[in-house]
Amino acid sequence: MLPESAAARRAATDADLPQAPGVRQSAITEATLPVAMPKTTPPAPPHPSGEHSDSLLRLIADSVPALMAYFGLPDLRCRFANQGYAAYNGHSAESILGLTVREAIGEKAWLAIKPHVERCQQGERVKYVREQTLPNAEVRVIEVNLIPHLDSDARRVGAFVLINDITERWRAENAVRQSEERMRKFAEATDEAIVFHRNGVIIDGNEALLRLTGYTLSEVLGLSIFSFITPEYRAVALEYTRSGREDPYEVTFTHKNRHPIPVEAVGKTMPMQHADYRVVVLHDLTARKKAQEREAFIALHDPLTQLPNRRNLMEQLDQTLAQAASRQGRCAVLFIDLDHFKTINDSLGHHAGDQLLCDVARRITQCVGSTDVVARLGGDQFAVLLTDVQTPDQAAQAADALLQGMHSAFLLDQQSITMSPSIGISLYPDDASTGDALLRCADAAMHHAKGSGRGNRQRFQPGMDGHAMEVLQQERLLREAIVRQSFVLHYQPQMSLHDGSLQGFEALVRWNHPERGLVGPNEFIGFAESRSLIAPIGRWVLHEACRQLKAWQDEGLALVPVAVNLSALEFRQRDLAGEIANVLHATGLPPRFLEIELTESVLMHQTGPVLDTLNALKALGVGVSVDDFGTGYSSLAYLKRYPIDKLKIDRSFVMDAPGNADDVAIVTAIIQMGHSLHLRTVAEGVETPAQMELLQQLGCDLVQGYLISVPMSAHDTLCWLSR
């Protein structure tokens, strides 16, 4: 019974409706309003004897926020209205008395509510909601109650009108409905498993949840979410939920077939009118965990033969020496090199060579004890750690067993191949007391075996370490190269997979050797580190790379950063941030065009100094990348702790992709992890269009490799840029 009058501008908002102190709109009901006349007596005009009661009735009616009126039957004339109702319809509480509903509210409003009024006239209690558009175009929502009034003989004598403005409640409920609908659509659209629960009791879940756990929705509804979490994580999940935390954490869910599923869970509390509920997003970590396990394995094992690698061997050798020292025991190292292996590769190809290496690895393992360690050092070189020997003869007997085990032919590509090894032997504590020294002595003995006709074993003797002179000669030449600056830089471009644009260069140092010509970094950087010569080489590389890039930029070219590799020794031994600041100032290169590439080993030790140095570099504006990512510890802890910009995926994971499923899984995990940590990813060693296409599909940001360009001299790089 609402008009479309000018007075509605005043009365249709909560601010304009009369408000009684302490009275909530939701608490207004027919039972609480004295205006709802007793059903036995129709309302009558005020009588002098009831003046006080009428005044109190009027005060109460005018104080409540609801609009109220009473209309008599059959003519529907107003017998009573509070100030709010009268003002809402453009009248006063006195002037509205005696008017019919139609006269009181206007023709337009009457036509809108007439069906409801007719139902009330028939004795039906009517409740409806309608929208009301005010003259200022504001839309309000009202709830109208029409309550028939019956006398003692059950005759209809009038109708009571109670109107509440429920706009805010309607908006809130509508927002909740829309929110729930959006949540439902999102839950069904995403591949992430989503479960809804209230106080731990599951109330809903999406299809991805059912695929992840193997259950149907009917099987999980009403059950506790914590019953699906494995016992060792249950207390953590309970505390996480009770405290309302919303940060991600890891737990293990149980699949219907009872196998565990590692997941990352993120819970959010969703406020509701009656009771809050939690929405939990579960991300399956199975692939990531397997990739991490694979990365950890590869870091300590040879990817071809699956044997322990050199690093793994040295760790176990150190442990064995410590145990031998504590019990005054002995151990031995056998250094094995295959004779004429290069001939196999040259004649039958690298595939046959790889097969032979795997066969040799199996035979060596079969010839030694279960507690002994067999490792591949690289190329065609293997080592065996005999963990417990009593006499030198026992080590010699083990070497003879290996020689005998290699006598039978190997079958490669339907061809019978014979292979002999040369074996060097060193003993602890007879020949050396450290792992490095033992391996070095065994290596020297192996070279003596080769010089003695190959296919035999030799025990280390003093004087066999003749390569010491070679070391001294190498050191002398390298020191002279540092003084004369006999180094050059080659530059390899990095391209964007998104649009093919040039994104940067990596500066790669070469030694202009007086006898061998240009020598790559793999042949002298490690030696320079071992002889404490790396610092001056690193300073030259840093300065030359910045100088050259600034020269190109002055010509309007290469407005991209250049990346410079730093070794762990350089990083720890130098005032790196101060030195880089000086180089940038001297060359005039803006800091944003310089990136520093570090290996994972730098970031694993001396956390405090490393963090201080990296923060100083970031303050300068210099970028930081992790080189050869995935070949070391690949710890997530330092990725979170340090200010890193890029992860460079090691070429060893790229070269066999997309044919090798394990490598594809590792590359996928690194890219996803990098993006989740807001790091750009760079794939090294890209040589084929298939590798490029795979990396593009996986979302890798940048690529570097022969498919784009080989490392080029400064002159060739300038020509490349000009083209």
Side-chain angles (χ1 to χ4, degrees):
M1 299 182 182
L2 298 177
E4 305 293 338
S5 66
R9 185 180 300 110
R10 300 190 308 273
T13 65
D14 290 343
D16 293 331
L17 296 176
Q19 299 289 329
V23 179
R24 294 185 299 115
Q25 180 172 331
S26 60
I28 302 302
T29 66
E30 176 191 6
T32 62
L33 297 173
V35 177
M37 306 296 183
K39 295 184 178 182
T40 57
T41 306
H47 191 274
S49 62
E51 182 176 350
H52 178 71
S53 298
D54 291 343
S55 175
L56 179 60
L57 177 64
R58 168 62 61 184
L59 176 62
I60 294 174
D62 289 341
S63 298
V64 298
L67 310 181
M68 297 184 295
Y70 181 87
F71 291 85
L73 293 176
D75 53 2
L76 289 176
R77 291 189 181 276
C78 183
R79 303 283 298 281
F80 176 84
N82 69 353
Q83 290 181 358
Y85 184 88
Y88 192 88
N89 292 287
H91 307 284
S92 66
E94 292 76 19
S95 65
I96 198 172
L97 296 178
L99 298 180
T100 65
V101 174
R102 193 169 191 168
E103 294 169 341
I105 69 175
E107 186 69 21
K108 183 177 180 181
W110 166 252
L111 294 175
I113 70 169
K114 182 179 178 182
H116 303 298
V117 175
E118 291 174 347
R119 289 167 55 201
C120 182
Q121 285 179 297
Q122 297 301 317
E124 180 183 349
R125 185 167 181 151
V126 180
K127 180 179 180 179
Y128 63 92
V129 175
R130 64 186 288 255
E131 291 185 2
Q132 183 81 10
T133 303
L134 303 183
N136 64 358
E138 180 185 6
V139 176
R140 307 293 294 181
V141 180
I142 58 174
E143 179 184 81
V144 183
N145 289 271
L146 304 181
I147 306 167
H149 179 207
L150 308 179
D151 63 10
S152 57
D153 296 327
R155 290 178 299 183
R156 296 183 292 275
V157 297
F160 178 60
V161 183
L162 178 65
I163 302 174
N164 286 297
D165 188 322
I166 61 168
T167 304
E168 301 309 320
R169 188 183 76 191
W170 178 84
R171 288 174 179 169
E173 291 176 349
N174 189 54
V176 170
R177 285 191 296 272
Q178 292 178 352
S179 176
E180 290 180 338
E181 179 64 20
R182 286 195 299 269
M183 180 62 71
R184 166 57 58 190
K185 291 181 178 179
F186 168 76
E188 295 306 327
T190 182
D191 288 332
E192 302 284 21
I194 299 178
V195 58
F196 303 84
H197 72 87
R198 182 174 286 118
N199 297 325
V201 178
I202 298 175
I203 57 177
D204 204 355
N206 67 349
E207 287 294 328
L209 173 71
L210 308 181
R211 292 194 299 270
L212 177 69
T213 63
Y215 291 94
T216 64
L217 186 59
S218 61
E219 288 176 319
V220 300
L221 290 180
L223 299 181
S224 171
I225 189 175
F226 304 109
S227 65
F228 294 92
I229 299 175
T230 53
E232 65 270 24
Y233 289 100
R234 201 165 292 158
V236 174
L238 279 166
E239 178 57 30
Y240 181 94
T241 303
R242 287 174 184 150
S243 60
R245 286 172 53 188
E246 297 189 348
D247 54 303
Y249 70 111
E250 292 187 12
V251 296
T252 301
F253 264 63
T254 303
H255 192 273
K256 187 176 182 179
N257 65 12
R258 310 313 299 167
H259 77 263
I261 310 168
V263 298
E264 181 183 73
V266 180
K268 301 291 182 181
T269 299
M270 309 300 290
M272 291 290 289
Q273 184 174 4
H274 302 293
D276 294 347
Y277 68 92
R278 295 272 288 181
V279 55
V280 183
V281 179
L282 305 174
H283 177 65
D284 189 352
L285 299 179
T286 303
R288 184 194 301 178
K289 291 290 186 182
K290 288 182 178 179
Q292 289 173 350
E293 292 172 1
R294 179 65 179 165
E295 289 176 25
F297 180 85
I298 289 176
L300 295 173
H301 292 79
D302 170 50
L304 176 63
T305 64
Q306 308 297 294
L307 292 177
N309 58 16
R310 179 186 290 268
R311 173 181 155 195
N312 192 341
L313 172 69
M314 298 311 295
E315 290 179 358
Q316 297 196 57
L317 182 53
D318 289 341
Q319 295 173 7
T320 301
L321 293 183
Q323 294 171 0
S326 65
R327 57 181 171 80
Q328 295 185 340
R330 279 183 166 179
C331 62
V333 172
L334 309 183
F335 199 112
I336 305 166
D337 186 276
L338 303 183
D339 298 329
H340 306 297
F341 177 75
K342 186 175 183 297
T343 304
I344 303 296
N345 273 336
D346 292 343
S347 58
L348 301 181
H350 288 279
H351 174 73
D354 289 347
Q355 182 183 340
L356 177 60
L357 291 173
C358 292
D359 291 343
V360 167
R362 280 191 291 271
R363 289 201 189 179
I364 295 175
T365 303
Q366 293 168 359
C367 291
V368 300
S370 59
T371 61
D372 298 328
V373 179
V374 180
R376 183 189 177 201
L377 302 178
D380 61 344
Q381 294 182 337
F382 297 83
V384 176
L385 169 59
L386 303 176
T387 57
D388 186 16
V389 295
Q390 303 301 320
T391 65
D393 288 342
Q394 191 174 347
Q397 291 169 6
D400 289 339
L402 285 175
L403 289 170
Q404 184 64 33
M406 295 291 180
H407 278 172
S408 57
F410 295 88
L411 189 63
L412 300 179
D413 293 336
Q414 307 303 317
Q415 295 189 49
S416 181
I417 302 295
T418 57
M419 174 62 61
S420 66
S422 296
I423 303 176
I425 307 170
S426 64
L427 276 79
Y428 169 87
D430 307 59
D431 301 322
S433 58
T434 67
D436 284 337
L438 271 178
L439 194 63
R440 190 165 56 247
C441 290
D443 185 10
M446 181 273 296
H447 281 92
H448 190 72
K450 281 190 176 294
S452 301
R454 304 178 187 267
N456 67 93
R457 47 92 175 166
Q458 296 288 330
R459 185 189 162 187
F460 175 78
Q461 300 293 333
M464 284 185 177
D465 199 8
H467 70 285
M469 292 301 297
E470 297 178 9
V471 171
L472 292 176
Q473 174 70 0
Q474 177 88 335
E475 182 176 346
R476 182 183 66 80
L477 292 175
L478 194 55
R479 289 185 182 276
E480 291 177 358
I482 292 171
V483 172
R484 298 171 182 173
Q485 295 187 350
S486 302
F487 303 99
V488 295
L489 288 184
H490 283 194
Y491 301 87
Q492 189 170 36
Q494 298 173 348
M495 308 295 287
S496 168
L497 274 176
H498 174 65
D499 57 12
S501 62
L502 177 66
Q503 293 292 306
F505 288 99
E506 181 179 4
L508 303 167
V509 66
R510 305 285 189 264
W511 175 15
N512 196 359
H513 195 281
E515 300 169 359
R516 300 166 55 195
L518 286 183
V519 175
N522 292 337
E523 297 190 44
F524 68 93
I525 291 297
F527 181 81
E529 290 178 333
S530 68
R531 313 307 288 183
S532 300
L533 298 176
I534 191 63
I537 297 175
R539 291 191 186 96
W540 182 88
V541 170
L542 179 64
H543 189 279
E544 177 61 15
C546 293
R547 183 204 65 77
Q548 182 62 76
L549 188 66
K550 183 63 169 64
W552 285 333
Q553 291 185 352
D554 289 343
E555 296 182 42
L557 302 171
L559 296 176
V560 293
V562 63
V564 175
N565 292 275
L566 289 182
S567 72
L569 288 176
E570 288 182 272
F571 191 86
R572 289 194 289 265
Q573 294 177 357
R574 297 158 60 181
D575 175 19
L576 195 61
E579 187 171 319
I580 288 176
N582 292 336
V583 170
L584 292 172
H585 181 266
T587 59
L589 182 71
R592 70 180 184 276
F593 291 114
L594 176 63
E595 290 182 359
I596 300 300
E597 291 191 3
L598 306 172
T599 61
E600 293 178 271
S601 61
V602 174
L603 307 176
M604 296 304 298
H605 306 289
Q606 297 181 316
T607 303
V610 169
L611 181 59
D612 292 342
T613 301
L614 292 182
N615 284 333
L617 292 178
K618 295 302 291 184
L620 283 176
V622 173
V624 178
S625 302
V626 179
D627 195 19
D628 300 334
F629 184 78
T631 59
Y633 288 95
S634 304
S635 168
L636 297 181
Y638 72 71
L639 294 182
K640 176 182 177 182
R641 182 186 307 125
Y642 297 129
I644 296 169
D645 303 299
K646 293 179 182 176
L647 297 181
K648 298 194 73 175
I649 305 169
D650 188 67
R651 67 182 67 249
S652 62
F653 303 130
V654 176
M655 66 180 181
D656 291 332
N660 188 299
D662 287 342
D663 287 342
V664 172
I666 292 171
V667 173
T668 301
I670 294 174
I671 292 173
Q672 290 178 348
M673 178 174 59
H675 288 174
S676 67
L677 295 172
H678 306 292
L679 305 176
R680 302 184 79 189
T681 52
V682 185
E684 299 181 293
V686 179
E687 298 182 1
T688 68
Q691 293 169 348
M692 176 89 82
E693 182 178 357
L694 172 66
L695 292 166
Q696 194 166 31
Q697 292 172 354
L698 295 178
C700 186
D701 300 300
L702 308 176
V703 290
Q704 174 182 344
Y706 284 7
L707 185 63
I708 308 301
S709 172
V710 299
M712 300 173 287
S713 67
H715 176 268
D716 291 342
T717 303
L718 179 61
C719 296
W720 186 86
L721 286 170
S722 300
R723 290 197 302 271

